[in-house]
């Protein structure tokens, strides 16, 4: 059991982490630091954190572990703020959805001013904020860690926390993570954000009826497309290179599909759909 852990940004992911750490009795005191008074108050009220702070200062030295749970574009800067007070025994981790985000200065400070073990719990919802947090959000899901060196003690500390709250751990290179996520998460979100706009640009008389008939697949896209705009703008820009590559592949396949339809290629279309159905079956079987 740790004496103190700090969670910077106790919103959806940060407060869910706080709840899970507390319900598994992994820490005596959890400090929440956030610029959002609402999230700080909500996280405190639901007992995801024990102390509320608005700024990072010398008091952070008391925490053995600091989890940064803010949008991806803010993480590197926050680590630099922490480094003004931290010592090399302290472990910093994050939950950001892109992992190749650290500047050279931060990488140089690693192991001198702190030990950095970046992470990404593959769990979440389209909602944000501590108010939507769930203590079991991470149960039976995967957490990817992308350690920057082989500091066994720090890697063990972070993996043990996630394991104790029910996650399975996978360790990989940051670039490998970003490439995989560009396909399994970032592209699907990009498509959802686009398709909803495409529908409303359709030249049809009864636009309102579009909503009435949106019960099928379209509604699923609007759910994904309702995810937080700030968080997703950050993700698309921070994972620009891999996302561009994945998008090119997708556009190539979409063009091929269009060609099959234009040229009435029944077998090609049927086999493509059949293959997708089989992939879906194997995903369900793995209980992801
Ligand atoms: P969230 O609910 O919006 O919580 C983020 C919190 O961080 C907000 O209270 C926000 O305040 C605060 N914040 C932003 N910038 C800050 C700063 N510079 N200093 C202190 N606090 C700051 O977001 P979330 O959905 O939990 O996502 C947090 C992180 O988890 C992101 O990096 C995201 O990529 C990652 N992630 C998300 C999911 C998901 O499904 N949501 C899944 C896995 C990983 P304001 O509201 O004032 O901006």
């Amino acid at each position: 059991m740790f004496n103190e852990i700090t969670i910077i940004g106790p919103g959806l992911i940060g407060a869910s982490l706080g709840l899970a750490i507390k319900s598994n009795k992994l820490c005596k005191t959890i400090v929440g630091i956030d610029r959002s008074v609402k999230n700080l108050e909500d996280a405190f009220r639901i007992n995801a954190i024990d102390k509320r702070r608005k700024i990072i200062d010398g008091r952070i030295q008391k925490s053995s572990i600091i989890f940064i749970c803010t949008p991806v574009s803010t993480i590197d800067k926050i680590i630099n703020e922490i480094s003004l007070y931290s010592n090399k025994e302290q472990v910093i981790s994050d939950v950001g959805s892109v992992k190749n985000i650290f500047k050279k200065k931060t990488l140089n400070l690693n192991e001198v001013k702190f030990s950095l073990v970046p992470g990404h719990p593959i769990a979440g919802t389209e909602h944000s904020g501590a108010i939507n947090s769930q203590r079991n959000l991470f149960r039976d899901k995967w957490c990817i860690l992308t350690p920057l060196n082989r500091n066994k003690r720090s890697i063990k500390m972070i993996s043990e926390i996630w394991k104790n709250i029910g996650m399975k751990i996978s360790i990989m290179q940051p670039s490998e993570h970003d490439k995989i996520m560009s396909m399994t998460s970032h592209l699907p979100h990009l498509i959802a954000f686009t398709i909803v706009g495409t529908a409303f640009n359709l030249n049809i008389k009864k636009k309102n009826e579009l909503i009435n008939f949106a019960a099928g697949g379209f509604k699923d896209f609007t759910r994904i497309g309702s995810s937080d705009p700030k968080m997703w703008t950050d993700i698309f820009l921070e994972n620009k290179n891999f996302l561009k590559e994945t998008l090119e592949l997708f556009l190539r396949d979409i063009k091929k599909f269009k060609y099959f339809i234009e040229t009435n290629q029944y077998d090609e279309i049927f086999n493509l759909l059949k293959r997708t159905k089989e992939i879906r079956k194997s995903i369900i079987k793995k209980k992801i």
Side-chain angles (χ1 to χ4, degrees), residues 161-177:
I161 296 251
W162 290 115
K163 273 191 205 162
N164 271 289
I165 61 180
M167 296 202 96
K168 299 171 276 187
I169 304 291
S170 171
I171 294 190
M172 60 178 76
Q173 292 295 321
S175 300
E176 201 182 349
H177 166 279

Side-chain angles (χ1 to χ4, degrees), residues 148-212:
L148 301 165
N149 50 33
R150 290 169 197 267
N151 186 328
K152 281 193 186 151
R153 170 188 166 266
S154 322
I155 300 171
K156 191 160 186 272
M157 274 164 80
I158 299 300
S159 351
E160 286 300 318
I161 296 251
W162 290 115
K163 273 191 205 162
N164 271 289
I165 61 180
M167 296 202 96
K168 299 171 276 187
I169 304 291
S170 171
I171 294 190
M172 60 178 76
Q173 292 295 321
S175 300
E176 201 182 349
H177 166 279
D178 291 354
K179 189 168 188 174
I180 294 173
M181 287 301 131
S182 76
M183 183 64 243
T184 57
S185 169
H186 307 169
L187 181 66
H189 276 82
L190 187 150
I191 295 169
F193 284 119
T194 311
I195 205 170
V196 174
T198 308
F200 281 84
N201 285 335
L202 261 187
N203 191 11
I204 47 172
K205 277 190 191 142
K206 296 184 175 176
K207 281 231 162 123
N208 283 344
E209 308 241 316
L210 199 68
I211 296 170
N212 296 342

Side-chain angles (χ1 to χ4, degrees), residues 9 11-13 34-36 39 69-71 95-97 121 123-125 128-129 231:
L12 174 77
I13 300 296
D34 206 304
R35 67 175 187 193
S36 155
N39 274 336
C69 303
T70 56
V95 297
S97 309
T125 71
S128 317
M231 170 176 148

